Amino acid sequence: MAAQRKPMMAANWKMNKLVREAEDYAAKLLPRVADSTDEVDVAVFAPFTSLPTVGRMTEDSAVMAGAQNLYFEDSGAYTGEVSAPMIKDVGAEAVIVGHSERREIFGETDETVARKAAKALEAGLIPVVCVGETKEERDAGGMWEKVSGQVRAVMDGLDSPSGDSVVFAYEPIWAIGTGETASPEDAQEAIGQIRGLLGELGGEEFAHSVRILYGGSIKPSNAADIMAQDDVDGGLVGGASLEADSFAELVEVARQSVAQNEDDAQERMVE
Ligand code: PEP
């Protein structure tokens, strides 16, 4: 992780937790991470039913509440959908957009993902934009074509975003929920390429300041090596975020990566 960017550790609960379970989790997590939020942005992406609870419980803390999806219209005849103003109304500050489960299971396209990201940004929510390739695409040498197309589609729809207004997450689909993690080198290579493309599309200042997370079977035992990569600014975590203890451990790993960075910078100054 580069020194100029504050890392983010983000919990994606997916379709898990009843309201009471969300309450218990937040009550456990908040004191555990309170000392880390100066150095690490901590976010919890909850289902819509428990989002108001998480929004309320995180209100007086630096922990961010987030939604896992949104619709790109503000209101109207869109049965079953939830809009950006509704998400903000219950205290959320961020929203996952284009998670591979939304793309693969619910048929979201690059176009709908781009419209959702643009709406989130316009509404003042931080879109956490997910991109990533399937195993077949990677094996056939098509990883970059897929991922660059997803990044381009979103960037085309954003109106001069600043580096802190949007977050990207590289999540190779074959690593999500499978226990198979990308190697730290593969994560760095992909995320470095994405940053390069963001430089072309959004300018160098944007590319240097925007955070790009890695997601895919992160757990406390493998997170430090991934976080040590120059271009990796944190993690989007599914399975290992479901227990407050293991998510708090991941936040601690991110905090230590900041300390490590500072040590490295000091050493370079002395040399
Ligand atoms: C995710 O849901 O975005 C994810 C990366 O899941 P997991 O950590 O379980 O692979």
Side-chain angles (χ1 to χ4, degrees):
M1 192 207 60
Q4 72 270 27
R5 296 184 294 269
K6 187 178 183 187
M8 172 182 269
M9 202 46 82
N12 175 14
W13 288 354
K14 311 194 186 196
M15 195 174 73
N16 290 292
K17 295 196 188 299
L18 303 177
V19 170
R20 173 54 55 86
E21 292 166 328
E23 263 168 14
D24 292 347
Y25 183 108
K28 215 167 169 184
L29 181 72
L30 294 179
R32 286 279 306 266
V33 301
D35 289 341
S36 303
T37 47
D38 279 351
E39 290 139 304
V40 181
D41 277 345
V42 179
V44 176
F45 292 89
F48 288 125
T49 47
S50 54
L51 186 55
T53 303
V54 177
R56 180 176 43 76
M57 290 183 75
T58 54
E59 203 176 2
D60 297 325
S61 80
V63 173
M64 256 188 275
Q68 299 171 11
N69 185 25
L70 84 164
Y71 193 56
F72 49 72
E73 299 291 350
D74 284 344
S75 63
Y78 304 102
T79 302
E81 295 296 322
V82 177
S83 70
M86 292 170 175
I87 290 169
K88 287 191 77 175
D89 190 39
V90 293
E93 296 170 73
V95 58
I96 296 175
V97 176
H99 191 280
S100 61
E101 287 151 16
R102 302 268 353 140
R103 295 179 191 257
E104 301 275 306
I105 305 172
F106 301 102
E108 292 199 11
T109 62
D110 282 354
E111 192 205 332
T112 54
V113 172
R115 290 182 74 176
K116 289 179 176 199
K119 173 52 75 174
L121 191 68
E122 180 198 309
L125 288 164
I126 298 172
V128 177
V129 179
C130 300
V131 297
E133 81 287 0
T134 64
K135 182 92 181 120
E136 294 70 37
E137 287 160 343
R138 172 165 277 255
D139 290 347
M143 170 273 187
W144 185 238
E145 191 185 333
K146 170 80 173 288
V147 169
S148 61
Q150 292 174 325
V151 172
R152 279 180 196 281
V154 166
M155 287 298 290
D156 279 354
L158 297 186
D159 191 12
S160 316
S162 61
D164 57 2
S165 64
V166 54
V167 172
F168 282 84
Y170 170 63
E171 300 208 300
I173 295 171
W174 46 271
I176 296 181
T178 59
E180 195 184 340
T181 322
S183 69
E185 295 73 25
D186 284 347
Q188 165 57 34
E189 192 183 339
I191 291 178
Q193 271 185 296
I194 293 170
R195 198 176 300 286
L197 178 60
L198 291 174
E200 277 171 40
L201 301 173
E204 283 311 306
E205 199 183 319
F206 174 70
H208 279 301
S209 54
V210 69
R211 281 159 317 166
I212 310 177
L213 315 182
Y214 167 78
S217 298
I218 296 186
K219 42 188 184 284
S221 58
N222 62 24
D225 289 344
I226 294 171
M227 287 297 300
Q229 304 302 309
D230 272 358
D231 283 296
V232 178
D233 302 317
L236 181 55
V237 190
S241 76
L242 290 176
E243 295 295 331
D245 282 340
S246 81
F247 185 57
E249 276 180 57
L250 286 165
V251 173
E252 178 56 22
V253 171
R255 200 185 61 76
Q256 282 171 12
S257 79
V258 176
Q260 184 61 48
N261 240 306
E262 282 164 5
D263 287 352
D264 292 350
Q266 285 250 311
E267 265 174 41
R268 277 198 297 274
M269 292 223 320
V270 171
E271 280 166 15

